[in-house]
Amino acid sequence: MKTVAVKNIHRAPEEVVKALGQAGTATVHEAQGRTGLLFSYMRPIYSGAAIGGSAVTVLVHPGDNWMMHVAVELCRPGDILVAACSSPTDNGYFGDLLAESCRARGIIGLVIDGGVRDTGTLARMKFPVWSKAVSAQGTVKETVGAVNIPIMCAGRMVIPGDVVVADDDGVVIVERKSAERVVAAARERENREAEKRVRLASGELGLDIYNMRPRLAEKGLVYLENLEEYESYEK
Amino acid sequence: MKTVAVKNIHRAPEEVVKALGQAGTATVHEAQGRTGLLFSYMRPIYSGAAIGGSAVTVLVHPGDNWMMHVAVELCRPGDILVAACSSPTDNGYFGDLLAESCRARGIIGLVIDGGVRDTGTLARMKFPVWSKAVSAQGTVKETVGAVNIPIMCAGRMVIPGDVVVADDDGVVIVERKSAERVVAAARERENREAEKRVRLASGELGLDIYNMRPRLAEKGLVYLENLEEYESYEK
Amino acid sequence: MKTVAVKNIHRAPEEVVKALGQAGTATVHEAQGRTGLLFSYMRPIYSGAAIGGSAVTVLVHPGDNWMMHVAVELCRPGDILVAACSSPTDNGYFGDLLAESCRARGIIGLVIDGGVRDTGTLARMKFPVWSKAVSAQGTVKETVGAVNIPIMCAGRMVIPGDVVVADDDGVVIVERKSAERVVAAARERENREAEKRVRLASGELGLDIYNMRPRLAEKGLVYLENLEEYESYEK
Amino acid sequence: MKTVAVKNIHRAPEEVVKALGQAGTATVHEAQGRTGLLFSYMRPIYSGAAIGGSAVTVLVHPGDNWMMHVAVELCRPGDILVAACSSPTDNGYFGDLLAESCRARGIIGLVIDGGVRDTGTLARMKFPVWSKAVSAQGTVKETVGAVNIPIMCAGRMVIPGDVVVADDDGVVIVERKSAERVVAAARERENREAEKRVRLASGELGLDIYNMRPRLAEKGLVYLENLEEYESYEK
Amino acid sequence: MKTVAVKNIHRAPEEVVKALGQAGTATVHEAQGRTGLLFSYMRPIYSGAAIGGSAVTVLVHPGDNWMMHVAVELCRPGDILVAACSSPTDNGYFGDLLAESCRARGIIGLVIDGGVRDTGTLARMKFPVWSKAVSAQGTVKETVGAVNIPIMCAGRMVIPGDVVVADDDGVVIVERKSAERVVAAARERENREAEKRVRLASGELGLDIYNMRPRLAEKGLVYLENLEEYESYEK
Amino acid sequence: MKTVAVKNIHRAPEEVVKALGQAGTATVHEAQGRTGLLFSYMRPIYSGAAIGGSAVTVLVHPGDNWMMHVAVELCRPGDILVAACSSPTDNGYFGDLLAESCRARGIIGLVIDGGVRDTGTLARMKFPVWSKAVSAQGTVKETVGAVNIPIMCAGRMVIPGDVVVADDDGVVIVERKSAERVVAAARERENREAEKRVRLASGELGLDIYNMRPRLAEKGLVYLENLEEYESYEK
């Protein structure tokens, strides 16, 4: 494994990153063709946080958080740390002291395929973290990993500078080069949805708004009057 | 598999459904002889919600939420959607647009042996969901399933019209025909518990209230003075 | 298995127990050499609770909570119930009635390698519980277990009288005999951290505060300018 | 819960049960419209066993195998014990002594949503078991459950007399009333498959045998020459 | 954490250890009052192995197998390595080279609450291992742990010199001081079982051999003629 | 998502692929710097198989195995199918008919981050599969995915033409471009190990062969005579 720290990365334009963060994971995931979602075990430590930022990647070794400190220096305001471990563990690789340091540097959140601790304090600080586990189990600083190289995190590859969108529904990664295109698709989707939301809230049915009835019939859906009819119905 | 949507189902009387919702899962589960509980992996997306309603069942196929739209039309105010998938997945089969539609129709919640998304919005809308997973991963509309047939959901069979009770402790299903009997048993239990609660809160011990001491002795419980005595004690 | 209830246990001094509770799990875990942490599946039923107390241990049998009642009588104000089961289950061994009884006796919380129920009520009562599961599934009172014997709980041994520290990060056990030493180490650690927190919050880097740069270089960390350089870099 | 043992059950005709066992789980599952499969955590204790038989159901309580003994008496040669527990546990509810008793009575296997032990001996005896867990953890005989009532086992309902088919792929339940129809469908499927197997083994492609090419094209599948073309391809 | 290697440990008498190994986990677990069983996730890498030996304990750090080498030197013929990690990982801490070394020293097996690799070769060598995982993921040799101190392994405490019994049903730990008593209880149990086995194999029922009928009736078991009677039966 | 099938891919030289297959996962994983290993939940359906081949990648949709048929046509003798699903499921995407087709085409195995069925027949055919699950649950042919595009499989990215090495220890992916270098490193490693194996088998200790003693002492390992000394030892 290469033990390197890459100092400079390309980031998507600030307004693109911001727009993706506002669109949220569900919309962004749809807008980029249903790709890029991290495994659903990645959960926020408190609910209600929603962020978008550029990924600074960190590869740590099991039970060792040394690289987190190296990564902090290489971040810019608006970045999000995305950390993975060379083999799976639940250790708490990140706590309130590192969060103070992140905050001072303008880092807006952490996504880690591992554990986090001091979650009570982090919640009070409103420093959002998405992680696989919460654990008070600490770490050592003995083995060198890497910063800003492509990493595998919770089932997806993350390239430094990719856009990270995270909220209560999970975490989605947008490739830097596709970011602008995805923003456009997300906006289009949001516009479409806004109109539908009004119609649905007024009691109109999705069956009619999306004109589903003919296709359901064609695919074989049969309406029956009651369960008694169902019992005697043979497909 | 039969691809049908059953239009009319029998429901328990409104006041019975309401009473079961107020009793809560733990009491109802006891009152019906400790049956009907869904697997404990069914968790609410936000805490504090507590509902009771009639089940409208939905059987979807993996990664396909088409039947959710069909089901909404067949619900009445006070119903709860109970959805299961023909094979296990974590996709987000339900989001804020469907919730708008449900709300407009008077549907009061969703129980799904699968995933849900837009959970931040759902929590702000106070539309309660109990699910196996939270995931931004969306779905297609390609394969026809069924609405209002008996389904297996999180380890239990649910018949359309069964009463669903859901709160922070999980989800319990009451068979429609037993609903009235269970309400009576739940009330009796609540009355017994109310009295005990006062006595316990005043410091009286369960050991005495339930007269456990003689039976504990008979079953072989021995009181020892301290751990030293325990070390030398041979059963 | 010995079916006994040990009446008297040694506890750590009150001010030591209190100080450990205030230090929190992450600090205490570090201060005692990174030992004593329960498995990370032990989660609080609501966030924000943080307690420290002396362990009164309970060994129950699967689906049977009889010993919980025996244990309540043997507790003193400030104690924490620590319960395990002779084989793993998710049943709800503890609910609001037992919590009333605990509160009346001054018991400040429960740690259980099993399930709990009535969690909505427990949260409103502010009676904190750390558990493996939440489940409305109740229990019987048929089989005698033990109180105040050494038990295995969520991967660790707990001796009656050990100090239990629990908060949003999980649960850590401190051996009674080491408690005073651990308090001292925790305080020392907190003082060191307080100073660092100020420096980190002002933007100073951990890399410099901990003087990590020379050791990182010695261990082989190489800084590269950008990802292009990384692609062509061969370790 | 009703504590009963039902003495007589209806079984499917012997030749139907036998034919289903020979068809195997994958074919039977297809033949009955992809329903009835137990959760995939149900695994055989040794590979190569394949059985079909009538279900005699057993409901035990956690850590208690008393009802297994009651069930043995109510079985006929060719029956399969199907056991579930009122709440999930891994205890070893069945071992070599019970297997001796089963063998003497003509019982041909066990399906248990729980644990089993003495698996080394059971494998040598060639007494097949499909279970959720293997565990030496024994059980008591204190609480009465039920025999031959409908039970929930590994995610499906099993009615006494249903046909159980189990092999290396898992366990599938066939409703007694559908058994004859499923046999016919299974045979038809096997015949179709036998012919295809010969063609596939000779190198003919599924694409051509099933005439998939036009429909794939219509659904949007595009063939590209190489990955370079893919990189520049925009959907 | 103390970084020590304890050179000499007390072992149970050779014939006692041997007898426990021959009795097997299920019998031994019963014979010592149903305690000492490791979690059921501890599985053998191949079936059919059954051993008994004295525990030499190893505490490793995540992703680091250095202490395995230290432990090998401190073993005597007939010993079993019992390894745990300071935080949970799946790394392969042990492979064929270490197995060669173990074999040369007379070590008869490994029990590890972590991963193992080269399992194909280990199976061909007939060197038995019980582990939580199989993984080709290797380890480093950077951090010092401990040998022959009490460790927590798969949910139980293991003291160096305790007797380890492992077979297809899992792993059970017998405290050294209780070993002789447990052998006696195991033999008694085996004798009782041998006699019963003959009777059960001849078709006699457990219901009669254990005289269960009166107690079942007293506890409320009711025999019904058929499922129809069950439907109308109200407890 | 792009719905394409890429017809031609670059493969590593045949002798390189073969050499990697012979080296096995543990050696290859080490030789390429401990990267490329799939999650340890990927298990073989029978033990003893060990293969190396070029990856033909398949992306299926949940519950739909249509693309498997498309992929078979695009394989060459010696290839290995590597399949992933756009969202996680356990369905059996592959069975004995597809295996016949694969065999006829010279495909030597399947790696699938999903389920497989007909495992009894596959084992008798000696067609090796590494999968996350075994399940008789079948699939439909409704939704078009992709063949020979980069996919995420069990936590790693797989590029078509990458070398796949799979045996009892799991599955490791070698990037095509690194394959030759990894073969060289693997051979070097094997040579070093062969020599050590002889010395270890003769009873020489790893402690001495690797000259570990001075570094262990330097890192703080202390040898104690016995457990009594350990009890009184304070670090």
Side-chain angles (χ1 to χ4, degrees), chain D residues 5 7-8 73 118-119 139, chain E residues 30 34 169 213 222 224-225:
Chain D
K7 292 199 276 188
N8 298 297
E73 185 181 32
D118 300 326
T119 53
T139 51
Chain E
E30 291 293 332
R34 303 188 169 180
D169 285 351
R213 295 189 198 270
V222 172
L224 305 176
E225 282 308 311

Side-chain angles (χ1 to χ4, degrees), chain A residues 46 94-104 118-128, chain C residues 197 201:
Chain A
Y46 59 90
F94 186 92
D96 60 354
L97 287 187
L98 269 164
E100 289 284 4
S101 193
C102 285
R103 178 133 294 171
D118 299 327
T119 52
T121 307
L122 296 178
R124 279 190 296 276
M125 288 174 67
K126 291 283 174 197
F127 188 86
Chain C
R197 190 182 313 267

Side-chain angles (χ1 to χ4, degrees), chain D residues 1-10 63 66-67 69-70 72-74 90 96-98 100-101 104-105 116-121 133-142 144-146 148-150 159-160, chain E residues 25-27 29-30 34 37 40 43 48 156 168-170 172 189 193-194 196-197 200-208 210 212-213 215-216 219-228 230-235:
Chain D
M1 195 173 295
K2 298 167 185 172
T3 52
V4 302
V6 174
K7 292 199 276 188
N8 298 297
I9 61 175
H10 297 286
W66 210 3
M67 285 303 106
H69 291 273
V70 175
V72 168
E73 185 181 32
L74 304 179
D90 281 0
D96 59 355
L97 287 187
L98 269 164
E100 289 286 4
S101 192
R105 292 269 158 167
V116 60
R117 64 183 195 174
D118 300 326
T119 53
T121 307
V134 171
S135 170
Q137 176 91 34
T139 51
V140 296
K141 288 167 186 61
E142 292 288 336
V144 172
N148 275 333
I149 67 169
I159 313 284
Chain E
T25 56
T27 297
H29 181 246
E30 291 293 332
R34 303 188 169 180
L37 194 67
S40 63
R43 301 301 303 140
R156 297 290 148 195
D168 286 351
D169 285 351
V172 69
R189 190 178 167 86
E193 292 205 340
K196 278 175 207 153
R197 190 183 314 268
L200 289 163
S202 76
E204 211 176 334
L205 287 168
L207 287 177
D208 298 311
Y210 306 107
M212 288 170 172
R213 295 189 198 270
R215 207 165 144 251
L216 281 168
K219 284 265 189 175
L221 184 69
V222 172
Y223 280 83
L224 305 176
E225 282 308 311
N226 49 45
L227 268 172
E228 289 70 34
Y230 169 72
E231 295 298 334
S232 62
Y233 177 83
E234 285 298 325
K235 196 192 169 177

Side-chain angles (χ1 to χ4, degrees), chain C residues 10-22:
Chain C
H10 298 287
R11 290 166 177 86
E14 202 180 315
E15 68 280 6
V16 166
V17 174
K18 201 174 159 186
L20 287 170
Q22 286 167 347

